[in-house]
């Protein structure tokens, strides 16, 4: 079952690369008592993710902050080393966007997993953006196709909160 607006996020552990190596990031700790934007991409360095999705949140970062968003998080079913390199390559890290890796379990718990064998994408995340307040999904923008970035971009989500 796919998560929807009004649902509480399932607990999960995501991973970031810290100064001493991989570090766990609890979804509940990340969202408890906070306003957080979480967007997910099918894969780091893939064309739409790299040239459209991440840049849309870099462009809108200040707008989200003005609306009380505490943190913007990008999640991908990739390893934390790739997410760190991708954050640096796109400028997302410098813009203050948190880049988190998912081993796939949290994406499955959300009901957002998909496979696209012809593209070499197995166990990946569907493309979405959500606005989460104290662990509860207030807004969810889910793309119909992983190659699209229309309703899940930063501008579209920012306009709704």
């Amino acid at each position: 079952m796919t998560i929807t607006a009004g649902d509480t996020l399932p607990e999960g552990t995501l991973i970031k690369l810290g100064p001493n190596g991989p570090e766990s990031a609890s979804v509940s700790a990340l969202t408890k008592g906070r306003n957080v934007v979480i967007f997910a991409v099918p894969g780091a360095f893939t064309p739409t993710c790299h040239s459209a999705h991440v840049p849309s949140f870099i462009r809108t970062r200040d707008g989200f902050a003005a609306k009380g968003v505490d943190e913007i998080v990008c999640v991908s079913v990739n390893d934390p080393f790739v997410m760190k390199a991708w954050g640096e390559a796109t400028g997302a890290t410098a813009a203050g966007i948190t880049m988190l890796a998912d081993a796939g379990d949290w994406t499955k718990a959300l009901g957002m997993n998909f496979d696209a064998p012809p593209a070499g994408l197995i166990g990946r995340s569907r493309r979405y953006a959500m606005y989460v307040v104290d662990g509860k999904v207030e807004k969810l923008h889910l793309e119909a196709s992983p190659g699209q970035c229309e309703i899940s971009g930063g501008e579209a989500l920012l306009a709704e909160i």
Side-chain angles (χ1 to χ4, degrees), residues 35-124:
N35 300 333
V36 179
V37 166
I38 300 172
F39 70 101
V41 298
F45 292 103
T46 57
T48 304
C49 306
H50 192 79
S51 64
H53 211 179
V54 168
S56 77
F57 284 93
I58 293 171
R59 286 190 305 271
T60 56
R61 181 185 56 94
D62 291 341
F64 281 112
K67 290 192 176 193
V69 171
D70 298 304
E71 187 170 7
I72 299 173
V73 176
C74 176
V75 175
S76 184
V77 181
N78 283 106
D79 64 69
F81 301 94
V82 167
M83 292 301 286
K84 181 179 188 294
W86 191 40
E88 291 169 356
T90 58
T93 302
I97 295 172
T98 304
M99 307 297 280
L100 296 178
D102 177 17
D105 295 336
W106 191 63
T107 294
K108 286 178 189 170
L110 293 174
M112 294 290 191
N113 55 305
F114 83 100
D115 294 331
L121 300 175
I122 306 298
R124 298 303 180 108

Side-chain angles (χ1 to χ4, degrees), residues 42 48 127 143-149:
T48 304
R127 184 181 310 282
E143 295 289 353
S145 166
Q148 295 176 323
C149 182

